[in-house]
Amino acid sequence: MELSSLSRRAFSALAGTTVLGLSLGGSVSGAATAGPPGPVPTGPPPGPPGADGLRHRVALDRYSLLVDGRRLSLWSGELHPFRLPSPSLWRDVLQKMRAYGHNAVSVRLAWNQHSPAPGAYDFTGVRDLDLFLRTAAESSLYVVVHPGPYIGADVDAGGLPGWLAATGARPRTTDPAYLRHADEWLSRVNAVVARHQFTRGTGTVLLYRADAPERADLTHLHERIRADGIDVPLLHAGTTLAWDEAERTRDAAEARRVHLDGLARGTTLHNVHMAYGGTSWGWLPAPSAPTPTYDPAAAIDEARRPTAELAPLHQLGHLLRHVPDFTRLDEAAEVRAADARVQVRHLANPDTGAHAYVLRNDSAAAVTSTVPMDGTDVEVTVPARDAKLLATGLHLGAGRKLAYATVQPMLSLSVGRVDIAAFVGRAGEMAHLVLDCPSEPWPTRLDEEAAWAFDHGKLHVTVPLKEDRLTRVRVRGADSDRALLLLLADDAASLRLWPYETPSGRVLVRGPELLREAVLDGDTIRLTGDTADERELEVWAPRGIGRVTWNGTAVQASFGRAQSLMTVWPLPGVPEVALPELDGWRRRTENPESAPEYGDSGWTVADRRTSHSTTPVPGGQPVLFADDYGYHYGDVWYRARLTGAAGLKSVALSYATGARGLLMAWLDGEPLGVHRPDDGDGPDTWTGTAGLGVPAGLRATRRERADGGDSAVLSVLVRRTQHGQDDPRAARGLTSAAFEGAAPDVRWRIRGAVAPDPVRGPLNHGGLYGERHGWYLPGYDDGDWEKASPADLPREDRRQGVTWYRTTFRLDVPPEVDASVGLVLDDAPEGDHRVQVFLNGWNMGEYASGRTGAAHTFVLPNGILRTRAAANTLALAVLADGESAPGPGTVRLELLGSAAGGVPVKPVASPGRRRD
């Protein structure tokens, strides 16, 4: 469920110009529930948020949020902490989000990550919500919290815990049994969130999103949350508060179209889904998730690197932050382009007189057309399937005003003795800016690309935008004693422009790949950030600043014509990072559960006759559904002792799984075969019936036995027991069994995962023999395993079942380098096999060969991955179908990206196997 957004016109009809109070779901602040008597005028936004100990007021009118009486255009980016299981790296991504223009982070909290069993909750380690909220406040980001209980997000059961399926509770209804569990979860979350509310000055939690699919549940939900001390505004289905969460976008052009369209429609609360996608590690992903990588098109990718989608988000975020005109816009008179392929939305700020024009081209070709803007027909080119935001009437510092421009404004700010305005466009475009100048100014070309002309009170500046090149033009005079610095950049160059707000004034930094922090200390500005290549560093800072340090080291700098501090020598790039080859592998086969003599007396007897599942129990058969016996995640084993099995010819095993399910079966230790469901019964459930014949040789052997083959042991392994989001109570695992040639008496036992890992959580491991006995953990003694290479298995070495591989390796990444490392599976053998990847005991996800979208590269997050001269344990569990060699192919490490800088990383707890 996503919250719908309202158009500005619809919102106006509901709210007029008054500030909304109780319509937000209750009191909107700890101090007051009503806003000012009239519209709040356009003005400077509130300063960066933090846990400042002061009370704050939060309200909303039809234009924007109002924080302490100032307009705030919320530009949120979504990040799921559970998809980055390394708390140190939360700071890295949050700092990047702030640097790239976001002023808020939207977080969803997965109930199933925190609750392994009814009444049991864990908020420690990678689930430390208190630490995340503190880190967000320290990164100067507001927080929008979404604890569900249902969150969707391609998470197993939409975030609902697996154990809920076995309680009889009907999820997302007013069923008292469900509300009892959901209330307990929300109370545990709210106890943490309440301590970090911006309204109280103890944190930066600004908004609270809640899951209320039924109107009847709203009152209960409201009372529950308010009783827990939550007093920030509530967002839920049906509220008039417009939360705009656009669909995922594929590239920069689509991102521009989508988000500029939201601005044109009057979206009040902008959210980028996803700012950082991350990893659906372990058994976290829902059936709808095709790979462990969640949203590969996110602005910051799984390896924490910027992607092509980032530039327009960076530009728009800083525009909303640093140009207040865009926080209060009304629809203005209709404007039409000369070429109808260019659609125009015209908006105006009633306070400042600034106008905005959102131009959109949905055609397959670039379109050049004239557009009337403030009385002038301006020729503009809009690339194919792209969009532009243009403006007129913007005040650019003291006494300067933009007449019009063919490129988008990005920021306007005053720093020290200079006013700075930045404009951005596409590389190869000719940028044309026109300034209203009552008297002739004195322009100065600081970079050779710029040209200008003055005519009838207007200064025309033209600049050809080149790839990754910034062009600077200084304008003096024209009835102002302050210099105006025009910066014109293409997308790549804009990603190296970093505005930053300090308590002593604003700062603008140009050059490095990332600016994390700027601190003014006497006459010194202390900068921290990242570089990948050698980069020049240019800094505009308040008066009195004459020295610069970068990552703690003084750099030589001097003042230039742009009234900036420019370093004499470029900042160094990142040194080369060498990765080791993966060798020294050990190999061992498992699945002893398939042997008839295997002792299963400790397994759970599967003899129930009723189930809480929405799947009917087949008549005359016991319940075989895994959830009913407490096995909710990972692989599940079944063993059936058959009496009266003489003459058995075939077995029909019906089963239900999530996506990419798999069933393997053995009779008396002999493989019967492997089966995969062909199609899903909707988006969440895949069902199939494996018709497995008993081989003639096995039937002959059974007849020759002393008992004439009257008894037998059937062993079955079912993979992919993930729960759907639409119907999390649908059965998983075996659903029924039928036999041909005999009518045996059947006694079933079932076994899944052992107790949840107290550190890694309940979704980390399943019911494979090696998992139950710690083969994936550091410290396990594999000295008696055979030596083998996963890539060098003989083709005749084929078996149906599970084979494990283990090795250790060491990295020695310099402490000043942030290296992102991936594990790559190459040259996989033919056939259908699955590889479960464990790093230091953490389940990084599954590779399914021959499947569309199968992951070949697994990002290994620093913290779980030891990068500083420490040993790492890698374990692979391979499920092979008997038609291919039971190995994953070539396995290697790959450097996905590196930077000089980063954040300090603490090792994530990765306990090894306990000694018996």
Side-chain angles (χ1 to χ4, degrees):
M1 176 198 72
E2 303 297 346
L3 302 177
S4 61
S5 62
L6 295 176
S7 69
R8 181 175 286 107
R9 182 174 299 168
F11 194 98
S12 300
L14 286 170
T17 58
T18 60
V19 174
L20 295 179
L22 295 177
S23 63
L24 299 183
S27 171
V28 298
S29 76
T33 60
V40 175
T42 301
D52 56 13
L54 304 175
R55 303 285 288 186
H56 295 281
R57 298 176 64 251
V58 181
L60 175 90
D61 67 9
R62 65 189 179 98
Y63 299 104
S64 71
L65 280 171
L66 303 172
V67 175
D68 297 329
R70 293 188 177 189
R71 293 200 173 279
L72 174 71
S73 185
L74 194 77
W75 183 244
S76 172
E78 188 145 335
L79 159 67
H80 302 158
F82 55 82
R83 285 196 162 103
L84 184 56
S86 177
S88 298
L89 297 184
W90 295 343
R91 184 179 302 276
D92 173 70
V93 176
L94 289 170
Q95 287 183 347
K96 287 174 178 173
M97 289 176 60
R98 187 211 59 78
Y100 291 133
H102 290 290
N103 57 17
V105 56
S106 174
V107 297
R108 304 191 197 204
L109 306 176
W111 183 1
N112 56 13
Q113 284 286 95
H114 295 268
S115 182
Y121 293 91
D122 184 356
F123 288 89
T124 64
V126 299
R127 296 164 294 278
D128 193 339
L129 176 59
D130 187 87
L131 174 60
F132 181 88
L133 296 177
R134 293 200 313 270
T135 306
E138 292 164 2
S139 302
S140 299
L141 288 172
Y142 294 106
V143 180
V144 181
V145 173
H146 182 9
Y150 174 89
I151 62 170
D154 285 341
V155 174
D156 185 282
L160 303 178
W163 54 258
L164 192 66
T167 64
R170 290 179 287 115
R172 307 191 71 203
T173 69
T174 54
D175 173 22
Y178 171 68
L179 293 179
R180 183 172 62 254
H181 293 298
D183 286 352
E184 184 177 63
W185 157 244
L186 290 178
S187 293
R188 297 298 184 98
V189 171
N190 294 344
V192 180
V193 172
R195 299 197 299 267
H196 294 271
Q197 295 183 94
F198 182 68
T199 49
R200 301 182 183 183
T202 53
T204 56
V205 174
L206 187 71
L207 299 170
Y208 186 110
R209 295 180 63 193
D211 172 42
E214 297 182 15
R215 295 291 301 179
D217 192 31
L218 290 179
T219 300
H220 174 89
L221 180 70
H222 177 275
E223 292 175 351
R224 169 74 275 153
I225 294 173
R226 293 306 185 205
D228 289 337
I230 302 299
D231 57 28
V232 298
L234 305 182
L235 311 179
H236 51 74
T239 180
T240 53
L241 191 59
W243 176 261
D244 188 52
E245 188 166 283
E247 294 297 322
R248 300 174 187 175
T249 54
R250 294 165 294 184
D251 53 33
E254 186 176 19
R256 268 188 292 271
R257 291 203 316 273
V258 167
H259 293 289
L260 290 181
D261 183 65
L263 181 71
R265 288 185 289 103
T267 295
T268 308
L269 307 177
H270 303 265
N271 186 60
V272 175
H273 181 87
M274 299 285 299
Y276 170 81
T279 301
S280 297
W281 55 275
W283 296 108
L284 175 67
S288 51
T291 72
T293 300
Y294 185 66
D295 194 0
I300 303 172
D301 73 9
E302 190 180 7
R304 299 176 289 112
R305 303 168 300 181
T307 69
E309 188 179 351
L310 185 57
L313 307 181
H314 176 71
Q315 296 158 7
L316 184 54
H318 284 300
L319 175 72
L320 295 174
R321 174 65 187 169
H322 297 286
V323 184
D325 304 70
F326 290 87
T327 62
R328 189 180 182 206
L329 293 172
D330 284 318
E331 291 187 30
E334 183 181 14
V335 168
R336 294 186 179 182
D339 191 316
R341 290 176 295 175
V342 175
Q343 305 166 47
V344 182
R345 297 289 295 271
H346 180 204
L347 309 166
N349 185 297
D351 300 323
T352 66
H355 290 248
Y357 304 82
V358 176
L359 281 56
R360 176 170 174 152
N361 173 19
D362 291 333
S363 74
V367 176
T368 299
S369 176
T370 57
V371 178
M373 294 195 298
D374 199 23
T376 303
D377 286 338
V378 180
E379 186 175 271
V380 178
T381 298
V382 184
R385 297 189 178 92
D386 209 330
K388 276 191 171 184
L389 171 63
L390 305 181
T392 64
L394 290 180
H395 290 276
L396 307 179
R400 299 326 186 317
K401 191 175 182 180
L402 177 70
Y404 63 86
T406 63
V407 282
Q408 176 178 313
M410 175 177 166
L411 57 84
S412 177
L413 65 164
S414 297
V415 182
R417 298 178 177 85
V418 65
D419 297 327
I420 303 174
F423 293 81
V424 293
R426 313 291 84 75
E429 179 180 3
M430 178 63 75
H432 183 194
L433 272 73
V434 180
L435 302 182
D436 286 325
C437 298
S439 59
E440 186 170 0
W442 307 324
T444 302
R445 179 190 293 113
L446 303 182
D447 298 288
E448 62 183 13
E449 293 86 358
W452 64 82
F454 181 74
D455 181 44
H456 291 88
K458 295 187 184 296
L459 177 67
H460 295 255
V461 177
T462 56
V463 173
L465 299 182
K466 296 185 177 181
E467 183 70 32
D468 201 12
R469 176 70 69 86
L470 181 80
T471 301
R472 302 164 299 169
V473 177
R474 188 181 65 197
V475 180
R476 290 181 292 183
D479 303 317
S480 177
D481 59 357
R482 289 178 63 84
L484 170 65
L485 187 66
L486 299 175
L487 308 179
L488 294 103
D490 75 320
D491 284 349
S494 76
L495 284 171
R496 294 190 288 107
L497 280 176
W498 308 108
Y500 196 93
E501 297 165 84
T502 76
S504 301
R506 291 180 173 180
V507 167
L508 180 64
V509 174
R510 179 184 70 85
E513 274 74 14
L514 181 69
L515 177 70
R516 294 182 182 274
E517 190 175 29
V519 176
L520 304 183
D521 182 8
D523 66 347
T524 302
I525 182 168
R526 304 190 184 279
L527 306 174
T528 56
D530 297 359
T531 57
D533 301 314
E534 288 190 351
R535 295 292 189 187
E536 61 184 7
L537 176 66
E538 187 172 15
V539 181
W540 290 270
R543 298 182 184 188
I545 299 297
R547 299 175 186 272
V548 181
T549 68
W550 177 256
N551 288 344
T553 300
V555 294
Q556 187 177 352
S558 59
F559 285 100
R561 293 189 300 165
Q563 298 189 7
S564 61
L565 281 167
M566 179 77 79
T567 54
V568 175
W569 307 106
L571 300 176
V574 61
E576 183 178 353
V577 175
L579 300 179
E581 292 187 5
L582 297 177
D583 53 18
W585 289 93
R586 298 277 183 169
R587 173 186 181 227
R588 185 173 180 181
T589 59
E590 58 131 283
N591 56 277
E593 300 94 338
S594 62
E597 65 275 9
Y598 178 80
D600 59 15
S601 60
W603 288 28
T604 304
V605 175
D607 59 358
R608 297 187 178 186
R609 295 294 167 176
T610 61
S611 171
H612 293 301
S613 173
T614 55
T615 302
V617 179
Q621 297 210 28
V623 174
L624 298 176
F625 313 156
D627 284 305
D628 286 272
Y629 297 98
Y631 301 123
H632 308 299
Y633 307 113
D635 299 293
V636 177
W637 273 99
Y638 295 85
R639 280 172 58 87
R641 296 189 180 274
L642 313 180
T643 304
L648 183 63
K649 295 179 180 179
S650 67
V651 179
L653 300 171
S654 296
Y655 64 108
T657 74
R660 299 175 299 284
L662 184 74
L663 177 146
M664 295 182 176
W666 294 259
L667 185 68
D668 289 340
E670 294 297 322
L672 294 183
V674 177
H675 191 271
R676 307 158 194 87
D678 293 328
D679 298 302
D681 299 340
D684 284 339
T685 297
W686 277 250
T687 59
T689 297
L692 305 173
V694 179
L698 178 57
R699 292 203 304 268
T701 300
R702 288 174 47 76
R703 286 195 300 267
E704 294 171 0
R705 286 177 9 193
D707 64 355
D710 185 65
S711 64
V713 175
L714 175 66
S715 303
V716 183
L717 175 62
V718 180
R719 160 147 289 204
R720 212 66 180 179
T721 57
Q722 60 192 167
H723 304 82
Q725 297 185 116
D726 292 340
D727 185 7
R729 293 193 296 156
R732 289 297 184 261
L734 281 182
T735 55
S736 68
F739 304 91
E740 181 184 358
D745 178 64
V746 185
R747 295 290 183 266
W748 287 97
R749 290 182 182 266
I750 181 173
R751 184 63 186 268
V754 294
D757 189 310
V759 173
R760 300 174 180 91
L763 283 79
N764 190 70
H765 61 272
L768 294 180
Y769 182 91
E771 291 177 300
R772 305 198 309 267
H773 291 81
W775 292 9
Y776 64 100
L777 294 173
Y780 179 83
D781 186 2
D782 57 16
D784 60 346
W785 290 22
E786 66 174 317
K787 295 180 180 180
S789 168
D792 297 332
L793 293 174
R795 296 194 62 81
E796 63 271 13
D797 186 5
R798 301 177 180 182
R799 64 183 296 272
Q800 173 184 303
V802 186
T803 304
W804 283 78
Y805 297 84
R806 284 174 54 93
T807 190
T808 59
F809 63 93
R810 298 175 69 88
L811 299 179
D812 193 9
V813 178
E816 70 277 8
V817 173
D818 176 14
S820 183
V821 178
L823 183 77
V824 181
L825 304 182
D826 280 338
D827 303 322
E830 296 179 358
D832 187 2
H833 66 278
R834 313 298 169 83
V835 182
Q836 208 71 27
V837 177
F838 293 90
L839 175 67
N840 294 326
W842 289 83
N843 187 340
M844 295 289 101
E846 178 196 54
Y847 165 63
S849 69
R851 300 289 173 171
T852 302
H856 288 74
T857 301
F858 295 82
V859 176
L860 308 178
N862 296 347
I864 291 179
L865 178 69
R866 312 299 200 238
T867 61
R868 313 294 190 210
N872 295 277
T873 298
L874 180 63
L876 309 176
V878 181
L879 275 66
D881 59 4
E883 298 176 2
S884 60
T890 301
V891 184
R892 58 184 174 85
L893 300 175
E894 181 177 290
L895 184 65
L896 303 178
S898 62
V903 298
V905 176
K906 295 181 180 179
V908 176
S910 302
R913 187 177 188 275
R914 296 179 180 178
R915 299 296 181 183
D916 294 332

